[in-house]
Amino acid sequence: MQNYSVMHWSSLLRRGKEVLNVAKPIAPTRQRPGLLSDSLSRVQISTMTVKDNLMVAGGFQGELICKYLDQPGVAFCKKMTTGENAITNAVDVYLNHNGAMRIMVANNDAQVRVFDAETFASLNCFSFNWSVNNTSVSPDGKLLAVLGDSAECLIADANSGKVTGSLKGHLDYSFASAWHPDGQILATGNQDTTCRLWDVRNLSQSLAVLKGNMGAIRALKFTSDGKFLAMAEPADFVHVFDTQSDYLKCQEIDLFGEIAGISFSPDTEALFVGVADRTYGSLLEFNRRRYNFYLDSHILVGLPLTNQVLYILIKAIFSVFELLVGL
């Protein structure tokens, strides 16, 4: 996303295309009785997310825009609130405990709103005591993490919004959260330059504290297999932790520019880092490096004789090729 536009980048085809432009007036294509939607124009995009075929974006004036990527136009758009400081801080698309797809919108007016992702009907509105900067729903769709302009982070029932737990330990406002795929560990990112890990079965204290270098922790992502956690600062640094080492092993990626966001590919083979800079703005792709020498020899033992011979021939061909290239 950038200003009034959302771009789609294909890492396979190595090209991009614009999927949404809200510099000019837009009107929703879906018109249903009782569906309250608005026409919007010049929406400066503040946040976005994509799940399956649905892209959801929020704006700096409290706007919400929903678009199906395989259909022209915008399916639904609405201004959440008319308040002066009504920025849409975060949007999320998730499956509730019954498997129905929902849209969650967190705003600076201390409200969290829930919509049906199919009909775009308003289902719920939860109120809190401070501006909500981030929300995330657990993999089973039952728990909701709520973070914002408070040192305290909350755990609530995702269906009713009732607060069931409090996370205490951060020293400043929080901006990011992520659930481990097993649903037991929650990571929270804070202005105090730390990420804290919490076990939802015991919220009395955090399991670990992961420290950044200079800035607030603004983005957190687990890989789909739960083996890695990526943590991004506002600028220059992305940290990748090995969860299987109890988060003790870490790779630090040092780059130049403001970091707009991070995301792992679904197969965990790539990490994408968005750089928001007028001069150096870009999308960086880091590929996962593997060492399979032991696995190669282990798998070879179990192969039929013909496959073993083929494998040895291929290795020999590559060795000869490397020798020729060296000459």
Side-chain angles (χ1 to χ4, degrees):
M1 64 185 189
Q2 184 175 11
N3 290 330
Y4 308 108
S5 176
V6 173
M7 300 290 296
H8 172 264
W9 169 257
S10 171
S11 59
L12 299 177
L13 301 177
R14 301 288 172 178
R15 63 171 179 256
K17 66 177 181 179
E18 187 177 62
V19 297
L20 177 68
N21 190 307
V22 285
K24 297 179 180 179
I26 58 172
T29 57
R30 290 202 174 188
Q31 300 291 343
R32 294 183 179 179
L35 184 62
L36 300 176
S37 56
D38 306 319
S39 296
L40 303 175
S41 63
R42 294 190 66 78
V43 178
Q44 189 173 3
I45 298 171
S46 58
T47 183
M48 65 160 287
T49 188
V50 177
K51 186 175 179 65
D52 297 333
N53 191 42
L54 180 63
M55 189 274 294
V56 179
F60 277 89
Q61 300 299 319
E63 301 95 340
L64 174 68
I65 302 169
C66 302
K67 174 183 173 58
Y68 291 107
L69 296 177
D70 62 350
Q71 298 177 14
V74 170
F76 176 77
C77 56
K78 182 177 176 60
K79 196 166 185 178
M80 297 289 98
T81 175
T82 57
E84 292 183 1
N85 188 22
I87 181 175
T88 302
N89 289 321
V91 290
D92 189 20
V93 179
Y94 66 97
L95 298 177
N96 71 359
H97 64 286
N98 291 323
M101 189 172 287
R102 299 285 186 256
I103 299 169
M104 184 167 286
V105 188
N107 284 79
N108 236 35
D109 62 356
Q111 306 286 320
V112 173
R113 299 169 175 86
V114 181
F115 295 84
D116 183 278
E118 183 177 349
T119 65
F120 303 110
S122 177
L123 301 178
N124 235 324
C125 182
F126 310 139
S127 298
F128 297 92
N129 296 326
W130 25 260
S131 296
V132 180
N133 297 328
N134 177 268
T135 61
S136 60
V137 178
S138 61
D140 62 7
K142 295 181 179 180
L143 297 178
L144 168 65
V146 183
L147 304 82
D149 289 358
S150 171
E152 182 182 25
C153 304
L154 303 177
I155 298 292
D157 182 283
N159 187 47
S160 66
K162 180 181 178 181
V163 175
T164 59
S166 175
L167 311 179
K168 297 181 179 179
H170 281 303
L171 305 177
D172 210 325
Y173 296 170
S174 296
F175 294 99
S177 64
W179 291 86
H180 189 280
D182 67 10
Q184 296 179 357
I185 303 299
L186 172 69
T188 57
N190 193 274
Q191 184 85 19
D192 62 11
T193 74
T194 70
C195 163
R196 286 181 177 262
L197 301 173
W198 312 85
D199 189 328
V200 295
R201 297 164 296 184
N202 181 12
L203 299 176
S204 58
Q205 61 180 5
S206 55
L207 289 176
V209 180
L210 311 179
K211 295 184 178 181
N213 287 339
M214 297 187 301
I217 307 304
R218 298 302 295 259
L220 293 165
K221 293 286 190 215
F222 280 99
T223 53
S224 58
D225 59 10
K227 293 182 178 180
F228 298 97
L229 168 66
M231 177 180 90
E233 300 184 39
D236 299 345
F237 296 105
V238 176
H239 312 267
V240 182
F241 292 89
D242 179 3
T243 64
Q244 295 178 315
S245 69
D246 291 331
Y247 302 89
L248 296 178
K249 295 181 180 179
C250 174
Q251 176 185 354
E252 182 180 284
I253 300 174
D254 188 352
L255 51 94
F256 181 81
E258 303 291 322
I259 298 174
I262 55 175
S263 181
F264 285 104
S265 61
D267 62 2
T268 77
E269 292 298 320
L271 169 65
F272 294 90
V273 180
V275 179
D277 188 280
R278 290 188 180 274
T279 305
Y280 302 103
S282 58
L283 182 67
L284 307 180
E285 179 181 358
F286 297 89
N287 290 327
R288 183 173 174 181
R289 180 177 293 176
R290 294 180 179 271
Y291 296 96
N292 293 324
F293 303 114
Y294 167 76
L295 292 177
D296 286 345
S297 61
H298 181 71
I299 294 171
L300 180 61
V301 174
L303 289 174
L305 180 61
T306 53
N307 287 347
Q308 291 189 34
V309 174
L310 180 62
Y311 180 89
I312 294 170
L313 286 174
I314 293 173
K315 294 283 283 187
I317 291 171
F318 274 102
S319 298
V320 172
F321 177 76
E322 290 174 353
L323 179 61
L324 292 174
V325 171
L327 293 176

